[in-house]
Amino acid sequence: MEKRPVPFSATVLFTTVVVFFIAAFPSSANLSFNFYAASCPPAEFMVRNTVRSASSVDPTVPGKLLRLLFHDCFVEGCDASVLLQGNGTERDDPANTSLGGFSVIDSAKRVLEIFCPRTVSCADIVALAARDAVEMAGGPAIQIPTGRRDGMVSAASNVRPNIADTIFSVDDMKKLFSSKGLSLDDLVTLSAHCSAFNDRFQENSNGNLTLIDTSLNSTYAGELMKQCPARASPSVTVNNDPETSFMFDNQYYRNLLAHKGLFQSDSVLLDDNRTQKQVVDFANDQVGFFESWGQSFLKLTSIDVKTGDEGEIRESCSTTNE
């Protein structure tokens, strides 16, 4: 049976998100809704069409775009620094070698450069593409402000200190998220995505996996070991649904209640009294999760943005302008 997003009041969500954004991020005052209304009216439509087209060919694209946004915003802020290529850039760090979705961003940029040259930033394209990806995968439709500018610095050395590790405790994650202006509630809300789970298994001399984390449901662990050989590169997974298409719903939290979290950093959300109630609430209330997602996603896409005279508008997303 086809999954469809649970309907809820988009107007109420949008109003709540706008008020919340203005109150929580006064430093992002130069971002605005419909920023390109005069300079490039079809900008958001073009990004959306590019994401839709790519997703129809490759159903893993939405999940890749969402993960790409996380890795961009948590390092140097939401400035498309993760897209820059070259020796020693963020893309060289092992934590980013499995990222995908770059070709989708590049495709959208090429189209936009034809109709609106040097106008729409790569940083905005990354944020809009992730926003659209979530909606196309069954998640909530939300509006986000635009006006981000592209950063000119990308260093692999900045990645590891700013990306959550799969063995992080709640305290570790809280400290990291707090440094980005995100709350404990944001942490639980935005945790509904993941990428690998090698730390929960051990590879023997024959290349077979053995479960070493006893908190993981043994039957589910067996299914994962069959689907994801130890020597295979970790695949992008979202909502604990390995490999295949990305479906955005509250399944992640239902899986946590069933002890099917892929990461140790997932499981601790259920074990910790500070986050347990929110996990349970989201598992039982998809509408509530979607509403929280709208607020947390807005905060995520506003982390340390560059606006005004900061940064630049790249002609190509993989290189800075000369």
Side-chain angles (χ1 to χ4, degrees):
M1 173 183 271
E2 180 183 2
K3 289 187 178 180
R4 296 184 179 276
V6 176
F8 63 97
S9 174
T11 301
V12 172
L13 175 59
F14 176 65
T15 302
T16 301
V17 166
V18 172
V19 172
F20 182 82
F21 171 75
I22 294 173
F25 285 88
S27 62
S28 301
N30 288 329
L31 294 182
S32 62
F33 294 90
N34 301 313
F35 180 85
Y36 298 108
S39 60
C40 188
E44 295 196 24
F45 174 79
M46 290 179 176
V47 173
R48 180 181 294 269
N49 268 1
T50 302
V51 173
R52 180 183 291 110
S53 177
S55 300
S56 67
V57 176
D58 179 1
T60 68
V61 161
K64 292 175 181 177
L65 291 173
L66 182 56
R67 184 168 177 244
L68 185 64
L69 174 72
F70 271 81
H71 282 242
D72 181 40
C73 292
F74 266 65
V75 183
E76 295 291 344
C78 303
D79 67 350
S81 57
V82 74
L83 304 182
L84 292 173
Q85 291 183 307
N87 293 331
T89 60
E90 292 173 29
R91 291 176 69 168
D92 277 353
D93 187 270
N96 285 339
T97 55
S98 63
L99 289 178
F102 296 102
S103 62
V104 181
I105 304 300
D106 289 339
S107 294
K109 180 62 172 175
R110 283 193 295 269
V111 173
L112 286 164
E113 283 300 303
I114 294 173
F115 292 93
C116 312
R118 299 289 291 273
T119 301
V120 182
S121 69
C122 299
D124 274 342
I125 295 173
V126 171
L128 290 169
R131 184 273 307 269
D132 294 339
V134 168
E135 182 183 352
M136 291 176 192
I142 61 175
Q143 294 192 44
I144 61 171
T146 44
R148 299 165 189 78
R149 289 174 65 84
D150 300 322
M152 303 174 69
V153 175
S154 181
S157 59
N158 290 336
V159 175
R160 288 309 175 95
N162 290 288
I163 295 294
D165 195 290
T166 57
I167 61 172
F168 269 15
S169 66
V170 170
D171 286 331
D172 293 330
M173 292 188 288
K174 180 182 177 183
K175 181 179 179 180
L176 175 61
F177 274 61
S178 179
S179 72
K180 309 301 177 185
L182 301 173
S183 67
L184 193 61
D185 286 347
D186 296 321
L187 190 165
V188 178
T189 302
L190 295 172
S191 289
H193 78 290
C194 51
S195 62
F197 45 90
N198 289 347
D199 59 329
R200 310 196 76 170
F201 301 92
Q202 184 175 52
E203 183 180 8
N204 63 24
S205 59
N206 297 320
N208 297 318
L209 290 174
T210 302
L211 178 66
I212 59 176
D213 185 348
T214 57
S215 69
L216 186 64
N217 177 281
S218 58
T219 301
Y220 186 60
E223 295 173 2
L224 292 177
M225 287 187 284
K226 290 178 182 178
Q227 296 175 7
C228 307
R231 291 175 180 169
S233 299
S235 59
V236 174
T237 61
V238 183
N239 290 346
N240 291 356
D241 187 10
E243 192 71 65
T244 55
S245 60
F246 168 57
M247 177 60 67
F248 193 89
D249 54 24
N250 65 340
Q251 184 62 48
Y252 170 82
Y253 304 100
R254 297 200 299 270
N255 281 353
L256 288 186
L257 292 187
H259 300 285
K260 293 182 178 181
L262 290 182
F263 292 161
Q264 291 177 5
S265 56
D266 291 327
S267 296
V268 294
L269 296 179
L270 181 62
D271 298 335
D272 195 292
N273 289 333
R274 293 169 294 178
T275 54
Q276 184 182 78
K277 182 180 184 302
Q278 194 173 356
V279 169
V280 174
D281 287 346
F282 285 168
N284 294 315
D285 182 7
Q286 180 162 288
V287 172
F289 164 54
F290 280 2
E291 291 174 347
S292 291
W293 175 265
Q295 294 184 11
S296 295
F297 186 80
L298 187 57
K299 292 175 68 174
L300 170 68
T301 56
S302 302
I303 295 175
D304 294 332
V305 295
K306 294 169 178 62
T307 60
D309 295 330
E310 299 175 295
E312 63 181 5
I313 304 297
R314 293 182 208 148
E315 293 182 63
S316 170
C317 289
S318 60
T319 59
T320 58
N321 299 334
E322 296 183 0

